Amino acid sequence: MIVIIGGSFAGVQAALELRRLNKQQKIVIYEKETYLGYVPNGLNEFLKGKINSLEEAILYDVAELKSKQIDVHLGSECTFVDPAAKELTIVKAGQAELVSYDQLIVAAGSIQRPLALEQGTNLVYQTKTLADAQQTLDKLQGDVSSVAVLGGGIIGIELASALRQFKPELQITILEKFDRLLELAVDEVISSAITEKLQESNIQLHTGIDFESIHEDAQSACIRTNEGSFKTDMIIKAPNLEPNHQILEDAITLDIDGSSIVNRNFQAEDSIYVLGDLLRLTLMPIKEKFYMPLINNSVRTALVAADHISGKKELTFESTKTNVFAAFGMTVVRSGAQKRNERFTSYHINKCNGVYSLPGKDSPQVYVVIFVREDNHQILGIQAASEADISPFANLFSLVIRGKLTVEELATHDFFFHAAYPSKETHCLNEIALDYLYNEEKR
């Protein structure tokens, strides 16, 4: 029997792939929540009016899985793993039972890192789970005139943008510990473009913030920092995530950050596989491991593990860290490494950026940044931002990175052009590659 702990994206995808590869294998999922696969930005989608209830952000249907002979147990939490006995302790409705397994897949996901200063407070909210999102929404729908968002990364700016759409009159403040918005996520060229849009939306941004304490009364909270105090009706924390590794602490070897140590098949022990947000993954262009809690990464690790468990042993996965996010009327696409990753390499990473036009009405502009290995001109990363919807660029960027194209190859790559369709004689990637080569001559 294959037992899967966690019914989010990695766990469900592993079950589906295992069933596709083996019609007879017994597969069981234990999920502590009462649903499968809640998309973590569901609250944002509701605030923007794209869904009518938070429940619409639940991706998987239990009945459909059961129709594929995948046994699903909701409200069932794993509290202990015994690798020697190949047993689990599962608690449901206060009752504990032992469950045996032949192969175990742990896909328990990630959690929002707790902040020491929030202990004992009642006005600090978060958004990751359905219960978190519902509690936050209930508060927002009440008498709230100001919100402080703790964190100016992707989670924070997407949330602030959605809040502005939900309540245009809301006073919104973003407090970020780094010196600029999105410092870990994107290059400063794109960060600056987003910051400008944010300020146009009348959102207050404070960077270089060290949080000291939170003091609150019945209706409001005061956040004390190195840059002074900020009074607000509500605080929503949006810091980075960390592995939800508690049940694995006594079962397998963990890295210093709580991520699981696994082989290339995501196998931690002979009969234990660990997936998704519990891992640090190799960033393909530079062969260095990073914590990258992305749904697409979770799904791909599940495919590899299922392939290996089923005896195929054909699939491998290294991430290009490809994703898309949108805030304040701009869509941002990124894939691969960036300049800040240079400290993990033995070579220099050069950067080239520019503003180009896209095909279509009024020729919308797009900010593009490429990151290039100096010695052999391999393109290691691409980022772009535009007021146009450039989300389809994500797969293109990923293929450029995974294909290890050089700047010379990209400069003359034959992107499609036809006058009857939205296209240009040269693609913006042709243009930035040519700019890189021209600028290199001047370096």
Side-chain angles (χ1 to χ4, degrees), residues 277-386:
D277 290 359
L278 291 167
L279 305 173
R280 284 192 298 135
L281 296 171
T282 300
L283 181 58
M284 189 276 290
I286 61 173
K287 303 300 180 183
E288 183 70 26
K289 287 190 174 182
F290 298 94
Y291 186 60
M292 298 180 277
L294 298 170
I295 291 174
N296 43 312
N297 284 344
S298 294
V299 169
R300 273 67 185 180
T301 61
L303 295 177
V304 172
D307 174 81
H308 192 257
I309 290 171
S310 299
K312 305 297 183 183
K313 302 183 180 180
E314 296 173 349
L315 301 182
T316 60
F317 174 65
E318 292 180 341
S319 177
T320 57
K321 198 178 183 180
T322 301
N323 75 322
V324 178
F325 62 94
F328 305 105
M330 297 197 77
T331 300
V332 179
V333 180
R334 60 175 188 165
S335 184
Q338 55 182 317
K339 178 69 175 176
R340 63 177 293 111
N341 299 136
E342 188 175 65
R343 65 187 186 274
F344 299 107
T345 71
S346 59
Y347 48 81
H348 292 298
I349 298 177
N350 291 332
K351 180 185 90 171
C352 181
N353 61 273
V355 182
Y356 305 92
S357 63
L358 296 170
K361 185 180 179 181
D362 300 325
S363 298
Q365 289 187 325
V366 57
Y367 298 83
V368 184
V369 188
I370 59 171
F371 304 93
V372 179
R373 179 169 170 166
E374 185 179 61
D375 56 358
N376 66 7
H377 284 189
Q378 179 187 341
I379 297 169
L380 302 176
I382 311 175
Q383 298 177 359
S386 178

Side-chain angles (χ1 to χ4, degrees), residues 123-194:
L123 295 177
V124 179
Y125 295 80
Q126 56 190 36
T127 64
K128 188 174 188 299
T129 69
L130 177 59
D132 292 337
Q134 187 62 62
Q135 186 179 25
T136 302
L137 178 59
D138 290 345
K139 178 66 175 179
L140 286 168
Q141 290 175 324
D143 186 18
V144 173
S145 61
S146 60
V147 173
V149 177
L150 306 189
I154 293 174
I155 297 172
I157 68 155
E158 285 192 311
L159 174 61
S161 180
L163 287 169
R164 172 57 73 232
Q165 288 185 244
F166 181 64
K167 276 190 175 183
E169 73 282 5
L170 198 63
Q171 297 176 26
I172 304 170
T173 302
I174 298 177
L175 303 177
E176 168 56 46
K177 67 177 181 179
F178 289 109
D179 291 333
R180 66 174 173 87
L181 195 75
L182 296 166
E183 182 161 320
L184 299 181
V186 295
D187 185 77
E188 56 264 30
V189 171
I190 291 177
S191 175
S192 296
I194 295 289

Side-chain angles (χ1 to χ4, degrees), residues 13 45 60 89 100 134 211 412 418:
Q13 190 64 50
E45 296 301 287
Y60 299 114
T89 301
S100 298
Q134 187 62 62
F211 299 104
T412 57
H418 192 294

